[in-house]
């Protein structure tokens, strides 16, 4: 019997089980799983935050656009747009009043671009009054043609529909949201 015990003991010694290596492997695996879980959780939170922030920003933009629309609509009438057709009309009192008023609204509302548009005699869409400060480098003058990427939105607006772009529109002025 003694001999049998000695053989069993010898075999254990020949193939020693390193418990530290097994523990170390399990620890590394567990740590990797924890890191993966934290990364996944962070990604999910970031996506939820981004969606919420975007929705909030769109709602704020729509609310702001509606307020601007009401202010401009209450003050300016359709006949005002028909009287301003070319750059020469910038010297009229009507244009100066409209431009000043729209610039004030734009500044109070923290909006970069507010402008009015109409059709000229040829049926092309043109700027009427740009709400930018007249000394701004990118101000548009009465009669300047509307950029082609804006035409579908303005066509829709001139047909009486309210327009809110859900996406950022890439324009010659840069990326904007249209309301």
């Amino acid at each position: 019997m003694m001999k049998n015990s000695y053989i069993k003991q010898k075999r254990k010694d020949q193939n020693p089980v390193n418990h530290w290596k097994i523990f170390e492997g399990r620890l590394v695996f567990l740590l990797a799983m924890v890191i993966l879980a934290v990364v996944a959780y962070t990604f999910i939170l970031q996506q939820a935050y981004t969606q919420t922030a975007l929705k909030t920003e769109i709602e704020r933009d729509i609310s702001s656009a509606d307020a601007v629309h009401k202010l401009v609509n209450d003050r300016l009438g359709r006949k005002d747009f028909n009287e301003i057709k070319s750059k020469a009309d910038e010297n009229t009192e009507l244009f100066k009043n409209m431009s000043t008023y729209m610039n004030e609204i734009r500044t109070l509302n923290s909006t970069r671009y507010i402008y009015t548009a109409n059709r000229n005699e040829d049926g092309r869409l043109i700027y009427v009054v740009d709400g930018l400060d007249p000394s701004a480098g990118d101000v548009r003058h009465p009669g300047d043609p509307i950029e082609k990427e804006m035409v579908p939105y303005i066509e829709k607006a001139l047909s009486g529909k309210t327009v809110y772009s859900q996406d950022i529109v890439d324009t010659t002025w840069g990326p904007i949201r249209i309301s």
Side-chain angles (χ1 to χ4, degrees):
M1 205 151 233
M2 191 68 131
K3 191 174 182 186
N4 221 0
S5 178
Y6 174 73
I7 293 173
K8 285 184 185 175
Q9 182 65 35
K10 191 165 185 171
R11 284 188 186 151
K12 282 185 184 177
D13 293 342
Q14 286 176 346
N15 295 323
V17 176
N18 192 338
H19 294 289
W20 176 248
K21 289 254 186 216
I22 293 172
F23 176 73
E24 190 176 62
R26 288 181 181 169
L27 184 64
V28 168
F29 178 75
L30 182 62
L31 191 59
M33 295 310 292
V34 167
I35 290 171
L36 182 63
V38 168
V39 167
Y41 181 71
T42 303
F43 179 76
I44 291 167
L45 282 179
Q46 183 63 34
Q47 290 299 314
Y49 173 76
T50 300
Q51 291 300 321
T52 302
L54 180 61
K55 183 180 176 189
T56 302
E57 186 66 24
I58 289 171
E59 288 171 358
R60 186 193 67 81
D61 286 350
I62 289 172
S63 174
S64 177
D66 288 345
V68 168
H69 182 259
K70 182 173 177 12
L71 287 170
V72 171
N73 214 28
D74 288 349
R75 173 107 180 242
L76 308 177
R78 190 172 286 276
K79 72 176 181 81
D80 296 329
F81 295 101
N82 294 330
E83 292 182 31
I84 300 172
K85 296 180 182 179
S86 69
K87 189 171 179 173
D89 294 325
E90 286 182 330
N91 297 323
T92 66
E93 198 62 35
L94 175 63
F95 176 85
K96 290 177 185 176
N97 288 340
M98 288 173 71
S99 176
T100 301
Y101 181 67
M102 289 177 60
N103 190 30
E104 287 171 4
I105 292 172
R106 183 188 62 78
T107 328
L108 289 173
N109 198 13
S110 300
T111 302
R112 176 67 181 145
Y113 300 108
I114 295 178
Y115 60 88
T116 57
N118 206 350
R119 295 189 185 282
N120 64 9
E121 295 81 28
D122 301 332
R124 288 188 6 190
L125 291 172
I126 59 169
Y127 284 93
V128 178
V129 178
D130 190 337
L132 284 175
D133 188 287
S135 63
D138 55 346
V139 69
R140 298 294 191 253
H141 302 282
D144 286 353
I146 297 288
E147 292 77 3
K148 64 182 170 189
E149 65 265 17
M150 299 304 297
V151 169
Y153 300 102
I154 295 174
E155 292 275 2
K156 199 174 194 179
L158 287 175
S159 74
K161 296 179 182 163
T162 303
V163 180
Y164 304 110
S165 68
Q166 294 301 312
D167 298 319
I168 303 295
V169 179
D170 191 23
T171 68
T172 53
W173 323 296
I176 61 170
R177 273 198 32 42
I178 298 169
S179 301

